[in-house]
Amino acid sequence: MSNTARRFLRDARYGPDNPLPPLNIAFSNKANFQAVAEDIRGMWHLELRADMRLFSRKLKTLFADRRKGSYDILLSTNWVSKYPYVTHIF
């Protein structure tokens, strides 16, 4: 996986002389999203030398930021539906 990512970065002309700009990860302040964001930041830094900034947000703010495109990566898993049971829509 990291070889493919490195190749994509090299093809996009990123490298030691032209590093990736810092990426912003916004995540929900609920559950374990901070741990996931920290893991992603650590792996991407180790494998790709990417610098990332983490931002914890309330869900309402996170959804507003998503609509605006304010962040490079958003971590949120929420089921939003008007159906009482998922099986009813299939």
Side-chain angles (χ1 to χ4, degrees), residues 6 18 34-35 37 41 46 50 53 62 66 76 80:
R6 285 188 192 105
N18 184 33
Q34 182 169 354
R41 178 176 61 181
L46 179 68
R53 294 177 281 212
L62 189 67
R66 178 171 38 187
S76 173
V80 179

Side-chain angles (χ1 to χ4, degrees), residues 4-69:
T4 302
R6 285 188 192 105
R7 185 169 32 92
F8 285 145
L9 289 173
R10 186 178 57 248
D11 291 349
R13 298 192 177 11
Y14 288 109
D17 296 331
N18 184 33
L20 277 172
L23 299 171
N24 299 314
I25 300 179
F27 57 92
S28 170
N29 62 357
K30 295 183 183 259
N32 295 321
F33 288 111
Q34 182 169 354
V36 173
E38 288 173 356
D39 287 346
I40 291 171
R41 178 176 61 181
M43 287 185 281
W44 282 36
H45 182 73
L46 179 68
E47 294 293 331
L48 305 173
R49 296 292 177 233
D51 289 320
M52 299 187 158
R53 294 177 281 212
L54 305 181
F55 298 91
S56 175
R57 297 285 185 252
K58 292 180 180 179
L59 278 178
K60 183 177 179 179
T61 306
L62 189 67
F63 290 143
D65 288 342
R66 178 171 38 187
R67 282 190 296 275
K68 290 188 263 180

Side-chain angles (χ1 to χ4, degrees), residues 64-85:
D65 288 342
R66 178 171 38 187
R67 282 190 296 275
K68 290 188 263 180
S70 300
Y71 293 92
D72 303 307
I73 301 170
L74 290 170
L75 299 178
S76 173
T77 57
N78 294 299
W79 176 257
V80 179
S81 174
K82 67 178 184 176
Y83 301 101
Y85 301 101

